[in-house]
Amino acid sequence: MKRSKIIDLLRSGETGREVTVMGWVRTRRGNKNVAFIALNDGSIIHNIQIVADLQFFEEELIKKVTTGSALKVTGMLVESPAQGQPVEIQAKEIEILGEANPEAYPLQKKGHSLEFLRSIAHLRPRTNTFGAVLRIRHALAFAIHKFFNEKGFVYLHTPIITASDAEGAGAMFRVTTLDISNPPRLPDGSVDFSQDFFGRETNLTVSGQLEAELGALALSLVYTFGPTFRAENSNTPRHLAEFWMIEPEMAFYDIHDDMDLAEEFLKYLISYALEHCPDDLKFLNDMYDKELIERLQDVINGAFIRLTYTEAIQILKDSGQKFEFPVEWGCDLQAEHERYLVEKHFKRPVILTDYPKEIKAFYMKQNEDGKTVRAMDVLFPRIGEIIGGSQREENFDTLYRRIKELNMNEDTLWWYLDTRRFGTVPHAGFGLGFERLVLFVTGMTNIRDVIPFPRTPQNAEF
Ligand code: 4AD
Ligand code: MG
C-alpha cells in the first residue's frame, strides 16, 4: 500500500502532483457542493485538508466519512487558499478503509477531559494531545540512546525477573507459577519456593542497577533503559507501578562526576526535544501550559544548584513555610519540600547530596561522618525528584556491614559482593525516571498521561 506521509506533504510543498494519503478523519465539514475533510496519520500534529467536489462522489460514501473513520485518498496536491496550511488535496478517489459509527465512536467532539481520555486509553493516541506526547516520548527515548552512544556507553540489558531487592524497599511484584490457592508447603507451613519455576522466590525488578554495576566493573561505562516495577500503593500524579528507567553506571566516577553527567544528560535531552519536536511542544504550550517552552529553555540556560541535604533542611526550617509534613533532619523529603526548594527558594533545578544513610539504599557510599551517604537527587520544577543516584560503596567490609545491619538476605547478593572482592573500584550511577522526564518536557501534570497504557493501583486495563 504505497502512500505519502502527511508530514512529508506538508513540509515539501511540492504541488502539482498526484498523491495518495491514508489516515483517520478528524473532522468533516462543508456544504452541498463540497466537503472539507481534515485527515491525520499521526506522522505530525497537523492534519491535511482533503477537498472533495461532491458532484464526483456518491452521497452514501461521503456519509461514511465521519470522525474516526479511516480513509485512503488519492488526488492532486495543490497550494491551499486557506490560511495556516501550505497545501491541500483535491480528491479524485476516496476509499473508506474502516468506518467509525458516529453513534458509538467516543472521540466526537474536541476538548475531552484528560480524565475521560484515560478511560479510553486504547483510542486516546488519536487525539492531538496524545499524538504530541507520544511523539515527544519517542524523541526522548531516541535521544537517550544517542547521548550514551556518542559517549561510548554500552547498552546493557538487565533482567526483568530477579531474586534480589535492589532498593531494599520491599515493594515488589512476585513472579510465580505456583498454584496460589494451594501452594506446596514446607513442614513449618511456609510456602516451598524450591518447587516454583525458578526454584526460588522471584519478583519483577525495581531497578537494573545492581546488574548495571556488574557491567560497569568490566566495561567501564554502561547504561540500562527498561521497564521497572514498584508495588507501592502510591496513588499520586508522579508514581506508576510500571515505569521506564534509565540507569547509567560508571566505573572511576565519583559523586561529582556523577552529578556533572546527570546535569549534562538532562540538558541534552531537553535541548533535543526543543530542536526536534517544535510543533508538538508549541501545541502543548498553547493548549495546556503557556510557560512550558520558557521553562524548558530556562533549565538549559544555567547551572543546577548543588547543596547538601543538611543545608536544604536548614533552608526549609528557616522558610517559615507551613508544610503538611514538618521537616526535621533525618526525614525523607516530600514533594512539597522538594518543590519549595526548586520553585520558591532557588527558582532553578537543584541537586541535593549527602542524605542521611537511614533513608537511602544499602549500596550508597558512606561518608566519614558515619551518618550520611554520597547520594544525589536531582529535583526539578513541578516534578520534584527526577533523578536519584549515588556513588557506590566499593569497600567490601563497609558494604557487608551495612547489609548485615539492615538484615538483608546476603544469599541473594553474593554475586554483587563478589565485585567488591575482585578488582573493586570507585564507581557511581543514577536512575532517571523516564515518565517524569516526559512529564516535565510535555508540561502534562499527571504521569498517567505520558505513558501509553499506565499501570497504577487498581488499574491494569488495556
Ligand atoms: O530513586 P530511585 O528509587 O533510584 C533507584 O532505583 C536507583 N537504583 C537508581 C540508580 O542509582 N541507578 O528511582 C530513580 C528514579 C526516581 O528519581 C524517579 O524519577 C523514578 O526513578 N521513579 C519513579 N517514576 C515513576 N513512578 C515510580 N513509582 C517511581 N519510582 C521512582
Ligand atoms: Mg529516589
Side-chain angles (χ1 to χ4, degrees), residues 4 18 22 40 83 104 108 111 151 188 196 224 254 438 459:
S4 297
E18 191 171 281
M22 298 179 206
N40 188 285
Q83 276 256 317
Q108 288 302 337
K151 287 192 172 296
D188 70 1
D196 204 345
T224 72
D254 65 17
V438 183
N459 176 30

Side-chain angles (χ1 to χ4, degrees), residues 118-400:
R118 262 170 239 151
S119 72
I120 51 163
H122 58 309
L123 294 171
R124 69 180 182 169
R126 295 193 192 177
T127 62
N128 283 336
T129 300
F130 285 90
V133 167
L134 292 176
R135 281 184 297 268
I136 293 169
R137 187 180 162 105
H138 160 76
L140 289 168
F142 183 81
I144 285 162
H145 289 299
K146 188 162 155 22
F147 176 85
F148 286 122
N149 188 53
E150 282 166 5
K151 287 192 172 296
F153 280 63
V154 172
Y155 180 21
L156 188 76
H157 297 94
T158 51
I160 306 289
I161 300 172
T162 68
S164 58
D165 178 2
E167 291 303 297
M172 300 182 295
F173 290 103
R174 185 183 296 287
V175 174
T176 182
T177 53
L178 293 178
D179 175 1
I180 53 164
S181 59
N182 184 26
R185 293 193 186 272
L186 294 167
D188 70 1
S190 62
V191 174
D192 181 8
F193 285 103
S194 70
Q195 295 188 44
D196 204 345
F197 189 91
F198 297 105
R200 53 164 66 222
E201 284 186 73
T202 51
N203 48 269
L204 295 178
T205 189
V206 295
S207 157
Q209 179 195 320
L210 302 190
E211 290 90 353
E213 285 187 53
L214 312 182
L217 293 177
L219 301 163
S220 302
L221 304 173
V222 301
Y223 71 105
T224 72
F225 185 175
T228 46
F229 307 86
R230 306 257 167 121
E232 320 159 317
N233 202 357
S234 307
N235 241 318
T236 83
R238 281 177 292 277
H239 287 86
L240 291 165
E242 175 179 294
F243 65 100
W244 288 66
M245 186 153 54
I246 300 98
E247 296 186 275
E249 192 68 35
M250 298 75 66
F252 321 114
Y253 267 49
D254 65 17
I255 190 173
H256 303 288
D257 306 321
D258 200 29
M259 287 192 278
D260 290 346
L261 184 74
E263 183 168 339
E264 183 189 348
F265 182 45
L266 288 167
K267 287 177 172 171
Y268 177 93
L269 297 176
I270 294 165
S271 307
Y272 188 92
L274 282 166
E275 193 181 326
H276 291 85
C277 310
D279 292 359
D280 291 326
L281 284 173
K282 181 171 183 314
F283 171 82
L284 295 169
N285 189 89
D286 293 348
M287 293 298 291
Y288 291 98
D289 180 353
K290 297 277 188 287
E291 284 152 26
L292 172 62
I293 292 176
E294 204 183 309
R295 192 179 317 113
L296 298 181
Q297 272 153 354
D298 229 44
V299 168
I300 303 170
N301 298 327
F304 296 2
I305 309 282
R306 299 181 186 189
L307 71 159
T308 65
Y309 166 91
T310 304
E311 290 164 332
I313 291 290
Q314 202 52 51
I315 290 171
L316 291 167
K317 284 180 121 175
D318 294 345
S319 70
Q321 191 84 9
K322 260 248 161 290
F323 294 112
E324 191 188 336
F325 295 90
V327 218
E328 244 354 286
W329 197 94
C331 77
D332 207 353
L333 293 182
Q334 305 292 323
E336 57 171 339
H337 308 131
E338 297 174 337
R339 293 184 62 176
Y340 176 84
L341 290 169
V342 175
E343 292 166 19
K344 299 251 164 59
H345 190 83
F346 290 110
K347 300 191 166 64
R348 290 217 51 73
V350 168
I351 312 183
L352 291 189
T353 59
D354 303 287
Y355 283 72
K357 67 176 181 194
E358 273 71 30
I359 59 171
K360 289 293 182 188
F362 74 97
Y363 51 70
M364 295 194 183
K365 184 161 181 65
Q366 298 186 32
N367 282 321
E368 275 161 16
D369 63 12
K371 292 191 298 195
T372 60
V373 286
R374 252 168 245 179
M376 67 101 178
D377 278 9
V378 182
L379 314 181
F380 255 35
R382 301 175 94 231
I383 305 295
E385 179 189 338
I386 195 164
I387 278 182
S390 72
Q391 189 171 333
R392 318 306 187 190
E393 183 53 75
E394 83 273 23
N395 179 281
F396 178 89
D397 294 330
T398 317
L399 180 63
Y400 189 73

Side-chain angles (χ1 to χ4, degrees), residues 22-89:
M22 298 179 206
W24 294 268
V25 174
R26 285 293 169 81
T27 56
R28 188 196 82 210
R29 52 189 186 82
N31 52 42
K32 61 182 189 324
N33 302 319
V34 64
F36 299 103
I37 303 161
L39 199 73
N40 188 285
D41 67 2
S43 60
I44 186 169
I45 191 152
H46 306 298
N47 307 321
I48 198 158
Q49 174 157 282
I50 314 288
V51 183
D53 186 337
L54 294 183
Q55 60 180 317
F56 303 124
F57 296 96
E58 298 283 337
E59 199 185 328
E60 276 311 297
L61 178 106
I62 296 295
K63 265 201 206 150
K64 290 180 186 162
V65 178
T66 57
T67 299
S69 62
L71 305 186
K72 173 181 177 184
V73 178
T74 301
M76 195 58 93
L77 189 69
V78 298
E79 269 177 46
S80 175
Q83 276 256 317
Q85 53 185 30
V87 294
E88 61 186 29
I89 296 172

Side-chain angles (χ1 to χ4, degrees), residues 95-125:
E95 185 187 330
I96 312 274
L97 298 176
E99 293 177 39
N101 176 2
E103 306 293 312
Y105 186 62
L107 284 171
Q108 288 302 337
K109 57 179 194 330
K110 289 186 178 173
H112 290 296
S113 74
L114 292 170
E115 210 158 35
F116 169 72
L117 293 177
R118 262 170 239 151
S119 72
I120 51 163
H122 58 309
L123 294 171
R124 69 180 182 169

